[in-house]
Amino acid sequence: MGMNRQPMEERCFGWIGERGGGVSWENEVEQRVGHLAGEHPAQALAAAGEIWFSDQVPGRETFPEGFTVHNVGAKQLKNIGGKISVYRASHREYNKLLSREVRRGTLPARLFQHLRKPVVRLQRLKVPAGNDDLAFISVALVDEIHLVLSRLSGSLEVLHEEDAPDTRPDYTLVGTIQQAGPKIRLVCRLDARSSGRAVWAERFESDLTQSFNLQDRIASEIVSALQISLTEGEQAQLWKRGTSNGRAWESFQRGHDFERRYTRQSHARAKAYYEEALAQDAEYLSAIVAVGFCHLDEVRLGWSADEAASVNAAASIFERAKAISMNHPDVLALLAYINFFRGDHVEALETMTRAVALAPQSPEIVAYRGALLDLVGDFRGAVWSYTHALTLAPHSPAWMASNLGLSLLALGDSFEAERVYRADDLGTLSADEGARIR
């Protein structure tokens, strides 16, 4: 059911999801409310058996018996200046039906363990009693790690030791600092709550008389290690090896986080951060390739005013990257997509296969192959690539699962697609993100 164009401040909206589609309902109220769906159809938000609504819906606290109301949280949605509170209601009988049906799904249940954003708590680093200098370094180092991780909010959630005491983190970062003369030794360990075991541990040593950027250097090493262990797998090693400049690496990380949000505004900020990284290190290959992909994304997402010019700009950037290293998986992936947008689909797929062969354990490169298969219409191949990519790291980026769901829909498998998108109950996907990835 379409919505007419009466002033938004006089209306509140909700969406009821149904299998194969959805319907909208509306109330006339003298309150300003959020336009949840933007330009997307109702079913972009409400899955089958659900009702989504803003916090301005009258009587939302008194839903009929059998309904469970879940606070989705504050969401930045289309056409709204600030964040609004969003709620989701579902009926327990439908949830029981779905839980029975899920056991007949074809995607392995363990795959869905990867579709959630990890929560990492940072504990204070232990120092010997009475050593005020080490205590200062400890506080500064944990603050720096928190700062860098908090800028990667699309991949994980980070908490200080005293933050949100009722939240049970998936992982806890602990460590100790010791000093011997001018040298300090830091031992860090990442413990998993589920098993109680360490999933990563490392020792760092530094000379206080020579290291002016001690906190920056160690923080970037720890953050990179967390990415390798938790979210990005082998791809994080490629990003880290590409530069020795800590500021360039951090700017690239911030750009990559914004790029994954898939809005015009975040896209512009991503490009700015990539250019900032290149201002620090002009030969940082990952940042060069990222700028090239930004130009291609403008074509893919319909944001380019001149598609040929955007593809040519990406090709020019590829030449710059090729001069540094032709046999790099990121460079080959960029070339593959340039070939696709120039109409050479066979060469595009062959080049992408070479990229995957160079980095078979990189979730991002493998998923890029899935996205390319989507573009050429091989949805079954895309599903395989996305599914494999999701298993290459304990926690995978939301865009991979979003694309997997859309590929399943292209195959007509709405049941499996719904299973993927319902993984947002585990804290990863937002429905509006899944709806606008492609």
Side-chain angles (χ1 to χ4, degrees), residues 95-110:
N95 291 335
K96 289 179 182 178
L97 173 64
L98 183 70
S99 66
R100 290 196 297 270
E101 291 182 350
V102 161
R103 287 193 288 271
R104 297 199 297 269
T106 57
L107 291 176
R110 65 181 180 274

Side-chain angles (χ1 to χ4, degrees), residues 356-390:
V356 172
L358 288 173
Q361 299 301 310
S362 166
E364 183 154 297
I365 293 296
V366 173
Y368 278 3
R369 182 175 185 271
L372 186 60
L373 291 170
D374 266 337
L375 290 172
V376 301
D378 183 359
F379 301 118
R380 293 192 184 280
V383 167
W384 187 91
S385 290
Y386 293 136
T387 303
H388 181 52
L390 289 169

Side-chain angles (χ1 to χ4, degrees), residues 20-39:
V23 297
S24 65
W25 52 267
E26 52 193 61
N27 285 335
E28 302 292 339
V29 293
E30 295 296 327
Q31 300 180 60
R32 178 174 178 81
V33 299
H35 186 179
L36 297 182
E39 298 302 320

Side-chain angles (χ1 to χ4, degrees), residues 19 137 244:
R19 285 200 181 279
I137 292 174
S244 59

Side-chain angles (χ1 to χ4, degrees), residues 399-426:
W399 73 267
M400 296 181 190
S402 296
N403 278 16
L404 171 60
L406 290 169
S407 297
L408 289 165
L409 286 174
L411 291 171
D413 195 346
S414 59
F415 176 73
E416 289 289 17
E418 182 175 344
R419 290 183 69 205
V420 171
Y421 286 119
R422 278 183 173 269
D424 68 353
D425 288 336
L426 298 178

Side-chain angles (χ1 to χ4, degrees), residues 191-248:
D191 293 337
R193 178 174 59 83
S194 59
S195 65
R197 299 177 180 176
V199 298
W200 166 80
E202 189 59 81
R203 181 177 65 232
F204 304 91
E205 294 183 351
S206 188
D207 190 329
L208 292 174
T209 63
Q210 298 178 5
S211 298
F212 295 99
N213 61 342
L214 174 66
Q215 283 99 257
D216 292 352
R217 184 177 63 81
I218 294 180
S220 67
E221 291 290 343
I222 291 175
V223 171
S224 183
L226 295 185
Q227 289 180 313
I228 294 169
S229 301
L230 299 183
T231 58
E232 309 294 347
E234 182 182 337
Q235 189 65 31
Q237 294 178 321
L238 297 175
W239 295 337
K240 186 63 180 174
R241 288 200 299 261
T243 184
S244 59
N245 187 302
R247 292 302 181 189

